[in-house]
Amino acid sequence: MSQKKQTYHVDLVSGDVLGQKLEENPSFTIHATDEELVELKQCLEEHHTNDLESYARSHVPYLLYHHDRANDKYDAAMKKLYAIIYQLGDENAREHIEEIGILKDNKFEGDQEVKNFK
């Protein structure tokens, strides 16, 4: 049984997923089922947790960024979040994500990896 997709707006600054777009905040428009929305919200929560961990770690001056697991977890959560938004997003969301290039590196190979996040 196929669920009907609803339109939502994802604000990465606040971590909110809203039913209507707020003009003062830039957001991504996505179309998601209830299950996809739950997955996205879990990913946003994971991203928030990793953000707090990397913030706390940033106050330890002798740990270098490129040798730090908290930052690696943050980066991975950010890529996963953008991959989900890319998969569920409208054309504007996809174009923006392609422009910033966050999903283009040696660890991400395009649509197949986006599908692997499901």
Side-chain angles (χ1 to χ4, degrees):
M1 181 167 78
S2 177
Q3 292 184 12
K4 185 176 178 186
K5 292 192 177 218
Q6 301 290 323
T7 299
Y8 300 97
H9 304 278
V10 181
D11 181 354
L12 293 181
V13 175
S14 68
D16 292 329
V17 179
L18 307 169
Q20 62 185 30
K21 188 172 185 169
L22 299 176
E23 293 302 320
E24 63 271 10
N25 292 345
S27 62
F28 293 106
T29 300
I30 64 163
H31 308 286
T33 64
D34 291 342
E35 289 177 2
E36 292 167 334
L37 185 61
V38 167
E39 180 182 1
L40 176 62
K41 287 182 177 182
Q42 288 172 342
C43 188
L44 283 165
E45 183 61 34
E46 178 184 339
H47 176 260
H48 177 70
T49 300
N50 291 328
D51 188 27
L52 292 176
E53 287 176 13
S54 65
Y55 172 76
R57 196 269 345 134
S58 71
H59 292 85
V60 180
Y62 58 86
L63 288 178
L64 300 176
Y65 173 85
H66 58 284
H67 293 295
D68 181 47
R69 291 180 68 112
N71 284 318
D72 291 342
K73 286 172 47 179
Y74 174 84
D75 291 347
M78 181 66 83
K79 285 185 179 187
K80 181 178 178 181
L81 183 57
Y82 273 101
I84 291 170
I85 292 171
Y86 185 88
Q87 184 180 23
L88 302 175
D90 65 2
E91 190 62 34
N92 290 335
R94 288 187 178 133
E95 285 178 14
H96 178 76
I97 291 169
E98 287 173 4
E99 283 177 20
I100 63 173
I102 191 168
L103 301 180
K104 292 190 185 251
D105 65 15
N106 60 356
K107 296 179 185 172
F108 183 82
E109 298 299 329
D111 288 338
Q112 185 58 41
E113 188 155 336
V114 171
K115 291 175 185 168
N116 289 340
F117 280 118
K118 295 293 291 166

